[in-house]
Amino acid sequence: MISVCIPVYNFDVTELVNELLAQANRINYPIEILLFDDHSHSYFRKKNEPLGLNSKVNYLEFDFNIGRSKIRNRLADVASGQWLLFLDCDVMVDDPNYLKRYIDNLPNAKVICGGRKYGPKPFRPELLLRWKYGVYRECKSAYIRQMTPYSSFISGNFVIETETFQNIRFNEELSGYGHEDTLLGIDLKRNQVDILHIDNPTIHMGLDSCKEFIEKTEQGVSNLAKILQMTPCMRKELEKSITLLKVFRFLRMIGLLLPLRWISKFYTPFIRQNLCSKRPSILIMDLYKLTILARLYTKGWRKISQP
């Protein structure tokens, strides 16, 4: 049996759950769906509560927000299946063979990643940054992802053997948004767990506004720096596998930290203005991430960042 683990936060998952149930019924494969609501607004709780009436759905609401890593671990603790399918709540499945494709590949690996794709270009300009970044940086074929299987790991659409997950789990030291999948990928590599990437993407539906995405990006970069502090022995390997860290290390070695800090101090308002415009630049987004790293480097990261 597969336990579908969906942490829910401020999103209506009715269509996603109904599609998964329909696919499981069509191929006569046993599944359970676990929906743990991480203290969403009452509007979304009322939308999703009726799903718990289905005998194959376990719906639970938390009284306070416990965070992305903790709630995924709690889902796994309650799951009864031999396999866990982790899905983000703000995705949709448009392939009628989505579930079957995962099931067919279960004998081939203990971790299987399906990938991600995005829908049509949004009309609202405040959503363009998240959509554009997703299309150009996150949508990769299985062939490309398999070339760097661990650094390409994403937590929003993957299957993992329950026993394997319980031996590793999401690291609960990370708080806020971002890079919990990076850390899990590191732990999978440490434990020599093979990852199989296949073309079985979900559609990412929940597009953040530019301001929300910028805030999440700042949290994510901060978490990335925290990972370097938590795993100093993996620093060189991370700097080789994560493009942002690789570029930052190069700029640091040739003495360009000061210009990055200068840009951060004087040009951040202009950078954000571009990112929230009708033509946001992904390269400027990359530059913004580098300035955040440069700022964090001055706040104590230096001890573990020397080449």
Side-chain angles (χ1 to χ4, degrees):
M1 182 171 73
I2 291 179
S3 296
V4 184
C5 301
I6 306 177
V8 181
Y9 184 68
N10 288 344
F11 208 84
D12 183 353
V13 296
T14 303
E15 188 175 353
L16 172 62
V17 170
N18 287 338
E19 176 62 25
L20 293 172
L21 290 171
Q23 290 193 19
N25 288 335
R26 191 161 57 246
I27 61 177
N28 195 27
Y29 192 90
I31 70 167
E32 65 173 356
I33 298 180
L34 308 176
L35 305 175
F36 283 10
D37 186 282
D38 204 9
H39 199 56
S40 299
H41 296 315
S42 59
Y43 171 81
F44 293 102
R45 292 201 301 270
K46 289 178 181 178
K47 284 281 188 179
N48 295 320
E49 279 174 1
L51 293 170
L53 299 175
N54 190 301
S55 60
K56 294 182 179 180
V57 177
N58 184 347
Y59 177 82
L60 177 67
E61 295 177 356
F62 284 77
D63 294 329
F64 55 91
N65 187 280
I66 66 172
R68 296 164 62 87
S69 294
K70 288 183 179 180
I71 197 168
R72 284 168 170 78
N73 288 340
R74 302 301 175 272
L75 283 160
D77 290 338
V78 174
S80 56
Q82 181 187 357
W83 295 88
L84 307 174
L85 168 55
F86 281 96
L87 286 172
D88 285 344
C89 66
D90 57 350
V91 302
M92 192 55 218
V93 173
D94 67 341
D95 184 347
N97 294 313
Y98 169 81
L99 200 57
K100 184 177 184 300
R101 191 167 287 111
Y102 267 134
I103 294 168
D104 290 343
N105 279 281
L106 291 182
N108 301 327
K110 293 185 176 181
V111 179
I112 309 167
C113 296
R116 175 183 293 170
K117 64 181 180 179
Y118 283 75
K121 183 178 180 180
F123 292 104
R124 294 166 55 190
E126 66 268 23
L127 303 180
L128 286 175
L129 175 64
R130 182 66 186 97
W131 177 85
K132 192 172 183 180
Y133 187 88
V135 168
Y136 288 99
R137 293 297 165 82
E138 298 175 355
C139 297
K140 298 178 181 179
S141 68
Y143 175 79
I144 296 297
R145 286 182 276 123
Q146 196 65 54
M147 294 174 66
T148 54
Y150 298 99
S151 59
S152 297
F153 174 82
I154 59 172
S155 59
N157 176 26
F158 78 101
V159 168
I160 184 169
E161 188 183 46
T162 302
E163 182 179 355
T164 300
F165 179 82
Q166 293 296 6
N167 290 333
I168 300 175
R169 300 169 66 86
F170 284 98
N171 192 305
E172 297 184 6
E173 292 183 46
L174 286 183
S175 58
Y177 174 89
H179 287 290
E180 63 277 349
D181 44 8
T182 300
L183 196 50
L184 186 60
I186 292 172
D187 289 334
L188 290 170
K189 188 172 185 178
R190 279 176 173 175
N191 288 271
Q192 299 180 329
V193 179
D194 290 337
I195 297 179
L196 173 65
H197 288 270
I198 65 174
D199 287 313
N200 197 29
T202 53
I203 305 174
H204 186 85
M205 304 293 291
L207 296 178
D208 298 307
S209 69
C210 60
K211 292 182 180 179
E212 291 171 335
F213 186 52
I214 290 171
E215 290 177 358
K216 287 184 175 181
T217 298
E218 291 169 349
Q219 293 177 14
V221 175
S222 179
N223 270 354
L224 185 57
K226 187 174 182 180
I227 289 172
L228 290 173
Q229 293 174 331
M230 292 164 57
T231 58
C233 60
M234 299 288 291
R235 176 178 57 82
K236 289 185 179 180
E237 188 171 341
L238 284 170
E239 289 181 335
K240 290 179 181 178
S241 60
I242 299 177
T243 303
L244 180 68
L245 294 179
K246 188 188 302 184
V247 173
F248 180 76
R249 184 176 187 271
F250 173 75
L251 295 177
R252 191 180 75 235
M253 291 178 66
I254 63 174
L256 291 182
L257 277 186
L258 186 60
L260 285 175
R261 296 169 191 155
W262 187 80
I263 291 172
S264 176
K265 184 176 181 179
F266 295 104
Y267 282 89
T268 293
F270 300 100
I271 290 175
R272 291 181 176 178
Q273 185 177 11
N274 171 272
L275 296 179
C276 289
S277 69
K278 294 181 179 180
R279 294 183 178 180
S281 169
I282 301 304
L283 291 178
I284 290 180
M285 185 63 160
D286 293 336
L287 174 63
Y288 186 52
K289 289 183 179 181
L290 290 169
T291 66
I292 297 171
L293 279 176
R295 195 166 66 242
L296 293 172
Y297 183 80
T298 66
K299 292 183 178 179
W301 179 20
R302 182 171 304 184
K303 291 182 180 179
I304 56 97
S305 294
Q306 294 292 352

